[in-house]
Amino acid sequence: MPYPALVEPAAELTVDEVRRYSRHLIIPDVGMTGQKRLKNAKVLVIGAGGLGSPALLYLAAAGVHTLGIAEFDEVDESNLQRQIIHGQSDIGKSKALSAKESIAEANPYVNVILHEERLDNDNVMQVFEGYDLIVDGTDNFATRYMVNDAAYFLKIPYVWGSIYRFDGQASVFAPSMADDAPCYRCLYPEPPPPGMVPSCAEGGVLGVLCASIGSIQVNEAIKLITGIGEPAVGKLVIYDALELEWRKLKVRKDPNCALCGDNPTVTGLIDYDTFCGAVSEEAADAAAGSTISVVQLEHMLKERAEGTRDFVLVDVREPNEYEINKIPGSVLIPKADFLNGSALEQLPSDKQIVMHCKTGVRSAETLAIVKGAGYADAVHVGGGVVAWVNQVDPSQPSY
């Protein structure tokens, strides 16, 4: 169903703006009025990363006059494979500032507002207030639920996107625009179990997938702002880049939704880190008192080389990650082998087991399994191979 335009039109377009946006103006559905609405719009983009990069560039090119950027990170070389708003010379620079500079090159008529802070319960409502629309490019579940709840309380619609490896999803959550419009919690009432769904940093993402989903998000934003077409409210768009397959599923408002249902139990911002959990309770319990640093591991490896200590160092990452970098002397046994039980057959019973992954999340999960199998003295390496490269062996590449 069509929805009314989200933004009132600006008073006028300048001659220069008419020239710039002429290809929009000659589309009957957009025209002068639609372009004036874009000029008057205030859109907040959360993240200047994989999804935020194409979203910010296309929103700016489309003529959205006020763009907010909520981003606290710095540009890393590994970002450049997909985060097209940044370049080689931006490495080490604030992502928000880098994005602002690229937007100025794309469209000098855009007013960019920077929010260079991590969104949390203390600032999210203040940051969101005053924007007409939010485009969510976050990559973790805790922030997604917080964005959903804050937007709901402030009655601001938002466009959501998600990417992982070759798969992408997008939808529009706008309970304030229609009584039957679902929110993110209607689609995903509970976060997945900790460790079940890796982040892009853990599992990877095809760079061009960001453009596919990011452009869908901008398309939906333009439709909402101008009141044209049928936005993806109550719809979930799913894209499989490997099979070149698009699907569209209906998402209905859940009357039992904890946020927007008939008897809501979430009536304010909650502890989203606890709600989503970085690691499972079992993993947290196993890691408590059984976590070593990479400096400690380096010392242990020296002792092993001298013959004064013996242990098995197990890398629980995937084989393709193991090819990128590794801690010398480790053996590869992927996490999946621990989950199906086959890994336990490969572990000696007379040696201490030391486990690591990329950052420490997966190794904490597998540590719980190993301890449950009777390896009481097993430990895992906090920070994983990322900490090893940063603190011990910077000659290796990071990813």
Side-chain angles (χ1 to χ4, degrees):
M1 59 177 274
Y3 290 83
L6 198 60
V7 178
E8 291 298 316
E12 63 178 5
L13 298 178
T14 66
V15 172
D16 288 339
E17 287 171 335
V18 170
R19 292 194 190 101
R20 176 175 287 265
Y21 308 124
S22 62
R23 296 304 184 272
H24 273 177
L25 302 180
I26 59 178
I27 301 174
D29 290 345
V30 180
M32 289 289 286
T33 300
Q35 194 61 49
K36 288 177 181 178
R37 293 186 194 279
L38 290 169
K39 181 177 180 178
N40 223 18
K42 298 178 180 178
V43 178
L44 173 67
V45 177
I46 305 175
L51 291 174
S53 289
L56 284 165
L57 287 174
Y58 270 113
L59 286 166
V64 172
H65 181 263
T66 301
L67 273 179
I69 305 175
E71 176 62 79
F72 63 92
D73 203 1
E74 294 181 348
V75 179
D76 182 79
E77 189 172 11
S78 65
N79 301 149
L80 303 183
Q81 162 258 8
R82 64 202 177 280
Q83 299 180 16
I84 58 172
I85 205 166
H86 313 297
Q88 185 71 23
S89 63
D90 297 316
I91 293 175
K93 184 185 295 184
S94 154
K95 281 188 179 180
L97 180 58
S98 170
K100 180 178 181 178
E101 292 172 350
S102 295
I103 289 169
E105 282 294 311
N107 189 346
Y109 302 119
V110 176
N111 175 39
V112 178
I113 301 173
L114 300 186
H115 304 277
E116 295 186 84
E117 54 191 328
R118 183 190 295 270
L119 290 179
D120 57 31
N121 286 14
D122 294 330
N123 63 20
V124 65
M125 302 289 274
Q126 181 181 357
V127 170
F128 283 12
E129 202 160 9
Y131 287 100
D132 302 304
L133 181 68
I134 294 166
V135 174
D136 181 16
T138 56
D139 62 355
N140 67 86
F141 288 99
T143 307
R144 287 173 185 165
Y145 281 98
M146 180 180 65
V147 168
N148 176 75
D149 296 358
Y152 176 79
F153 294 134
L154 292 170
K155 300 186 185 303
I156 304 173
Y158 78 99
V159 185
W160 166 77
S162 173
I163 48 176
Y164 177 68
R165 290 187 175 169
F166 300 98
D167 301 317
Q169 300 180 3
S171 188
V172 173
F173 299 111
S176 61
M177 297 181 70
D179 292 337
D180 60 348
C183 75
Y184 180 77
R185 287 179 180 270
C186 296
L187 177 61
Y188 295 116
E190 299 286 340
M196 182 65 68
V197 181
S199 67
C200 290
E202 294 279 355
V205 60
L206 187 69
V208 72
L209 180 68
C210 303
S212 300
I213 301 303
S215 62
I216 288 177
Q217 291 182 278
V218 175
N219 187 61
E220 293 305 308
I222 291 173
K223 287 156 59 179
L224 289 166
I225 292 167
T226 59
I228 63 175
E230 186 173 326
V233 176
K235 304 169 189 173
L236 175 65
V237 178
I238 301 174
Y239 177 48
D240 181 341
L242 275 184
E243 299 297 328
L244 192 58
E245 181 177 270
W246 293 90
R247 290 185 292 156
K248 187 168 64 176
L249 307 178
K250 287 186 177 181
V251 181
R252 300 187 184 281
K253 181 173 181 175
D254 181 3
N256 298 314
C257 176
L259 181 71
C260 68
D262 297 336
N263 299 291
T265 56
V266 176
T267 56
L269 301 179
I270 65 172
D271 185 337
Y272 295 97
D273 289 330
T274 300
F275 176 63
C276 295
V279 295
S280 67
E281 185 175 342
E282 293 80 5
D285 290 342
S290 297
T291 301
I292 64 171
S293 69
V294 291
V295 174
Q296 289 175 291
L297 175 61
E298 183 185 26
H299 181 68
M300 290 171 62
L301 288 169
K302 288 179 180 178
E303 290 182 328
R304 190 173 74 171
E306 295 167 352
T308 59
R309 187 168 194 159
D310 199 11
F311 62 92
V312 177
L313 178 60
V314 180
D315 188 331
V316 303
R317 297 177 299 161
E318 294 301 308
N320 55 306
E321 295 177 89
Y322 194 71
E323 292 178 2
I324 298 172
N325 58 20
K326 59 179 70 69
I327 298 178
S330 62
V331 295
L332 178 67
I333 307 178
K335 177 185 173 183
D337 292 350
F338 287 89
L339 296 177
N340 64 32
S342 64
L344 299 177
E345 302 172 359
Q346 306 175 51
L347 301 180
S349 58
D350 59 342
K351 295 181 181 180
Q352 183 185 23
I353 307 301
V354 180
M355 318 182 77
H356 82 85
C357 60
K358 181 181 180 181
T359 60
V361 175
R362 283 174 283 179
S363 58
E365 298 288 346
T366 53
L367 179 65
I369 296 172
V370 169
K371 281 184 170 290
Y375 293 85
D377 62 346
V379 296
H380 89 122
V381 182
V385 74
V386 169
W388 179 269
V389 172
N390 288 337
Q391 300 178 38
V392 178
D393 186 9
S395 67
Q396 293 199 58
S398 59
Y399 68 103

